[in-house]
């Protein structure tokens, strides 16, 4: 009874002092929250390429096991994405609250207007349905139906059959599997390929036949067929040119297709983003529509980038002026706007040697160039461009060789100086050099004389050894060896000689038809065609200093 009374009093006390309980919805303020549902879709799929298997064993053709899929890989490398009408849903955020207006992400963006975030164009299935019926248009980068493809090379795995692909896809994390077999009969190669789609659970077969000799070169159509299947959407031909300008880079939806002029490139139909770029020109951007069964052609002119840099060019004769490959006009040119930065100026005229100048154009500055054109033949004067290595000419290497000879001569002179200094240093350490003094010292103190003689002799030997080693490295030129005027070879003398021989060799190689001119002139050219004899003239050989 006593325990019952105590329990009763305890319960009454708790009821009196209880804390009011708040529902979880009220605690988190859920009734005032209202969000629409949203969904995120898959963004990446992987394509695994496995080795192929030979239907008939032949050790001489085993290279085709990896060779065939390698060729197909090269055809599929520029496959950036696949088109899937109904992509996988990764995460689904369900809606809650009364009359939801915006998604959770949209509400966060509205509350933080200064924070830059990548805008999400497709938030739910309704947005995706609008894309399917054409009510909504977005670029492929924001369209969840365009899924990026990552290619994996599975060369270390065994070849797969279509039946084995079902289990291997899940086990190895492959959304698509590409494998197959090949058979060789006489000079014919027959290839059977299958593409397995793990998401659809379907297998797509392909067959191709070519000659064994040109198997790799003739496998392009097979790769194109597989690519079209993976793209998941019909393609059309694309042709792009830039007003005759060559080498401009062409991109569609961020995928590089090639350089202008671009022809017969296939790309999936639909609304696309075209981008054309070339250094020194303003890029071209445009939204284009690729239609089924209709070839897309465009020819656009890229505008040259001009800045506040200017150039003025004059010459002694009227000449064509080029900045890089851009034609500027004929001299004299007065204050023409050019792009800033380093470039090459070229003046050209028939019968004259092309002149080249490096130009470093700076903003808000004018570059003034005056060039004296010289008569001659450009192809002769710039024989093989006179280039030995990169932009270095025979003249450059002649100069480098002479500098090398001077460097080795400086080393030769220093080593000779160091050799003489070795003797001078030893001479100051030898105390007795007179024969009378040496004899007197020996007679007065023979014991000390032995020690002294050994020490002095050691100093002399060390000095001679050091001097001879230095002289051996330096060598001796006839101008130094006055006694018999002989040349004594040493590393410095040999290297000096090699540099001089190299200079003479490069100089000789740099000579051309305009350097040495040989001919015959009559004494009076006016009478040369009126029976003047050969005696009334003279031959000549003229050397033109090119360097």
């Amino acid at each position: 009874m006593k325990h019952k009374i105590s329990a009763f009093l305890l319960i009454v006390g708790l009821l009196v002092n209880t804390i009011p309980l708040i529902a979880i919805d009220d605690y988190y303020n859920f009734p005032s929250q209202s969000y629409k549902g949203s969904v995120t879709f898959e963004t990446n799929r992987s394509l695994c390429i496995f080795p192929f298997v030979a239907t008939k064993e032949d050790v001489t053709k085993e290279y085709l096991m990896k060779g065939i899929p390698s060729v197909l890989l090269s055809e599929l490398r520029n496959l950036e994405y696949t088109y899937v009408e109904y992509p996988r849903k990764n995460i689904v955020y369900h809606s809650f609250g009364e009359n939801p207006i915006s998604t959770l992400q949209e509400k966060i963006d509205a509350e933080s207007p200064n924070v830059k975030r990548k805008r999400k164009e497709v938030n739910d299935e309704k947005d995706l349905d609008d894309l399917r019926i054409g009510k909504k248009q977005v670029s492929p980068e924001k369209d969840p139906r365009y899924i990026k493809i990552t290619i994996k090379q599975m060369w270390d795995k065994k070849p797969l059959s279509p039946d084995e692909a079902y289990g291997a896809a899940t086990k190895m994390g492959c959304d698509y599997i590409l494998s197959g077999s090949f058979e060789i009969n006489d000079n014919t190669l027959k290839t059977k390929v299958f593409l397995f789609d793990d998401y659809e659970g379907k297998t797509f077969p392909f067959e191709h036949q070519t000659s064994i000799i040109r198997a790799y070169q003739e496998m392009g159509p097979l790769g194109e067929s597989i690519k079209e299947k993976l793209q998941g959407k019909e393609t059309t031909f694309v042709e792009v040119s830039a007003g005759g300008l060559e080498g401009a880079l062409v991109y569609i939806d961020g995928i590089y297709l090639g350089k202008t002029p671009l022809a017969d490139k296939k790309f999936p139909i639909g609304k696309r983003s075209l981008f054309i770029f070339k250094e020194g020109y303003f890029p071209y951007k445009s939204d284009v529509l690729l239609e089924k069964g209709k070839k897309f052609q465009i020819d656009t002119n890229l505008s040259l980038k001009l800045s506040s840099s200017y150039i003025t060019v004059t010459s002694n004769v009227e000449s064509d002026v080029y900045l890089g490959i851009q034609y500027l006009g004929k001299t004299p040119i007065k204050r023409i706007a050019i792009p800033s930065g380093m470039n090459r100026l070229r003046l050209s005229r028939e019968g004259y040697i092309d002149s080249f100048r490096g130009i470093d154009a700076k903003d808000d500055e004018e570059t003034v160039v005056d060039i004296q054109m010289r008569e001659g033949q450009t192809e002769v004067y710039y024989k093989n461009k006179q280039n030995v290595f990169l932009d270095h000419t025979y003249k450059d290497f002649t100069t480098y060789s002479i500098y090398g000879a001077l460097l080795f001569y400086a080393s030769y002179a220093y080593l000779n100086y160091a050799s003489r200094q070795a003797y001078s240093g030893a001479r100051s350490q030898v105390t007795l050099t007179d024969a009378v003094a040496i004899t007197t010292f020996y007679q007065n103190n023979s014991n000390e004389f032995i020690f002294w003689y050994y020490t002095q002799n050691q100093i002399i030997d060390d000095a001679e050894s050091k001097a001879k080693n230095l002289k051996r490295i330096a060598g001796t030129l006839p101008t130094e060896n006055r006694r018999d005027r002989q040349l004594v070879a040493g590393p410095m003398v040999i290297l000096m000689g090699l540099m001089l021989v190299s200079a003479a060799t490069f100089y000789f190689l740099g000579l051309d038809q305009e350097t040495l001119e040989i001919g015959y002139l009559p004494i009076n050219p006016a009478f040369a065609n009126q029976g003047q004899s050969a005696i009334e003239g003279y031959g000549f050989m003229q050397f033109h200093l090119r360097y």
Side-chain angles (χ1 to χ4, degrees):
M1 185 68 181
K2 186 177 181 180
H3 293 293
K4 290 182 179 179
I5 295 173
S6 299
F8 176 76
L9 294 174
L10 180 62
I11 292 172
V12 171
L14 289 173
L15 290 175
V16 172
N17 297 284
T18 187
I19 300 173
L21 298 178
I22 301 175
I24 191 168
D25 286 353
D26 294 330
Y27 184 78
Y28 287 103
N29 199 24
F30 278 168
S32 65
Q33 302 290 339
S34 180
Y35 298 123
K36 288 174 61 178
S38 62
V39 62
T40 61
F41 299 93
E42 60 179 321
T43 57
N44 187 80
R45 287 190 179 185
S46 59
L47 167 64
C48 301
I49 304 181
F50 286 79
F52 283 31
V53 63
T55 55
K56 298 178 182 178
E57 290 190 10
D58 185 351
V59 294
T60 63
K61 299 297 186 292
E62 286 185 353
Y63 66 93
L64 292 173
M65 294 178 64
K66 297 181 181 179
I68 294 175
S70 296
V71 174
L72 296 178
L73 173 64
S74 66
E75 295 287 335
L76 299 172
R77 281 194 185 279
N78 63 348
L79 179 67
E80 288 287 328
Y81 51 74
T82 181
Y83 178 84
V84 180
E85 194 67 53
Y86 296 92
R88 292 190 191 101
K89 299 174 185 176
N90 281 342
I91 303 176
V92 177
Y93 299 93
H94 296 282
S95 61
F96 63 89
E98 297 179 1
N99 302 320
I101 298 174
S102 58
T103 65
L104 177 60
Q105 186 61 55
E106 289 173 343
K107 191 148 189 171
I108 293 173
D109 292 343
E111 293 173 356
S112 307
N114 296 326
V115 179
K116 292 184 178 180
R117 294 186 181 92
K118 190 175 181 181
R119 185 183 174 189
K120 191 176 177 184
E121 298 283 353
V122 180
N123 295 292
D124 51 29
E125 283 288 348
K126 182 181 180 303
D127 290 338
L128 199 56
D129 288 336
D130 289 343
L131 286 176
R132 294 190 184 106
I133 63 177
K135 186 177 179 180
K136 188 181 182 75
Q137 294 285 344
V138 297
S139 62
E141 294 86 358
K142 299 179 180 179
D143 191 336
R145 297 175 298 175
Y146 290 91
I147 302 172
K148 187 173 179 60
I149 284 284
T150 301
I151 300 179
K152 299 180 181 178
Q153 303 176 36
M154 316 295 283
W155 302 150
D156 57 334
K157 307 296 182 181
K158 71 180 186 66
L160 297 179
S161 65
D163 294 335
E164 295 173 318
Y166 287 87
T170 304
K171 182 179 178 181
M172 299 182 183
C174 303
D175 296 288
Y176 300 99
I177 284 182
L178 184 68
S179 190
S181 61
F182 61 91
E183 181 180 356
I184 299 174
N185 292 316
D186 296 329
N187 292 324
T188 302
L189 173 66
K190 187 175 183 180
T191 307
K192 291 184 178 180
V193 183
F194 73 86
L195 175 66
F196 173 69
D197 185 342
D198 185 52
Y199 182 61
E200 297 287 342
K202 296 179 180 179
T203 301
F204 305 96
F206 301 88
E207 288 191 10
H208 186 65
Q209 184 170 312
T210 181
S211 63
I212 187 65
I213 298 175
R214 294 183 55 81
Y216 291 170
Q217 293 88 340
E218 297 175 356
M219 209 159 283
L222 176 60
E224 193 67 31
S225 301
I226 298 172
K227 185 195 293 185
E228 288 184 6
K229 189 64 183 178
L230 282 168
Q231 283 174 331
K233 201 168 188 180
E234 293 187 68
T235 59
T236 187
F237 286 101
V238 175
E239 185 176 297
V240 180
S241 55
L245 185 66
E246 297 183 357
L249 309 181
V250 180
Y251 298 83
I252 292 185
D253 291 345
I255 299 173
Y256 174 68
L257 295 188
K259 297 180 180 180
T260 56
L262 185 74
D264 295 335
K265 284 286 185 178
K266 284 187 177 180
F267 206 82
I269 60 175
K271 186 179 179 181
R272 304 293 175 198
S273 176
L274 175 65
F275 181 77
I276 306 174
F277 170 80
K278 185 174 176 65
E279 187 69 33
Y281 293 81
F282 288 104
Y284 175 84
K285 298 179 182 179
S286 176
D287 292 330
V288 297
L289 181 64
L290 306 186
E291 301 178 79
K292 177 182 177 181
K294 185 177 180 181
K295 185 175 183 179
F296 176 78
Q297 295 175 298
I298 188 171
D299 183 15
T300 182
N301 291 317
L302 299 183
S303 300
L304 184 67
K305 277 186 178 179
L306 299 177
S307 65
S308 55
S309 300
Y310 301 92
I311 191 170
T312 296
V313 185
T314 57
S315 61
N316 56 327
V317 292
E318 184 183 73
S319 305
D320 294 317
V321 182
Y322 297 86
L323 187 68
I325 61 172
Q326 181 71 22
Y327 178 67
L328 299 183
K330 295 182 179 293
T331 55
I333 289 177
K334 301 292 185 182
R335 199 174 170 78
I336 290 183
I338 60 172
S340 300
M342 295 294 297
N343 215 321
R344 187 183 72 167
L345 185 73
R346 177 170 70 94
L347 268 67
S348 179
R349 178 184 170 91
E350 186 69 28
Y352 287 79
I353 300 167
D354 286 359
S355 180
F356 299 89
R357 292 287 179 88
I359 299 297
D360 185 9
K362 294 181 173 58
D363 290 336
D364 301 321
E365 291 186 11
E366 179 182 1
T367 303
V368 180
V369 181
D370 181 31
I371 296 178
Q372 296 296 313
M373 299 290 287
R374 293 186 292 167
E375 294 184 7
Q377 303 177 39
T378 300
E379 63 276 9
V380 174
Y381 188 82
Y382 296 106
K383 181 181 180 182
N384 296 327
K385 302 296 184 186
Q386 289 284 341
N387 288 348
V388 184
F389 178 74
L390 297 180
D391 291 332
H392 297 277
T393 64
Y394 289 112
K395 171 187 175 181
D396 295 331
F397 277 90
T398 300
T399 305
Y400 301 156
S401 298
I402 292 174
Y403 286 158
L406 292 174
L407 175 64
F408 290 122
Y409 179 77
S411 301
Y412 164 84
Y414 171 76
L415 291 171
N416 276 279
Y417 170 77
S419 175
R420 291 191 295 270
Q421 286 298 107
Y423 282 116
S424 300
R427 188 176 295 112
S428 63
Q429 299 179 46
V430 177
T431 56
L432 296 177
T433 58
D434 182 77
V436 176
I438 293 174
T439 304
T440 304
F441 183 43
Y442 175 74
Q443 292 174 351
N444 294 335
N445 197 336
S446 59
N447 294 330
E448 290 185 12
F449 175 79
I450 295 174
F451 175 75
W452 170 84
Y453 178 79
Y454 174 80
T455 303
Q456 299 290 297
N457 194 60
Q458 187 65 37
I459 294 172
I460 295 171
D461 289 343
D462 290 344
E464 286 184 347
S465 176
K466 182 179 179 181
K468 287 180 180 178
N469 286 334
L470 293 172
K471 193 63 179 176
R472 191 179 299 112
I473 296 173
T476 305
L477 293 173
T479 54
E480 299 285 342
N481 193 356
R482 299 176 181 176
R483 183 175 299 174
D484 48 16
R485 298 293 181 182
Q486 289 184 352
L487 176 67
V488 179
M492 293 302 107
V493 171
I494 293 172
L495 291 173
M496 195 190 317
L498 288 175
M499 288 295 100
L500 292 173
V501 170
S502 298
T505 302
F506 284 119
Y507 183 80
F508 176 77
L509 292 174
L511 300 179
D512 55 33
Q513 296 177 14
E514 290 198 350
T515 305
L516 192 64
E517 184 180 357
I518 301 175
Y520 173 82
L521 285 177
I523 293 176
N524 190 341
F527 299 101
N529 296 325
Q530 301 181 13
Q532 188 179 42
S533 66
I535 300 176
E536 297 173 303
Y538 62 91
F540 72 92
M541 181 173 68
Q542 186 173 354
F543 181 82
H544 301 285
L545 181 64
R546 288 287 304 280
Y547 296 144

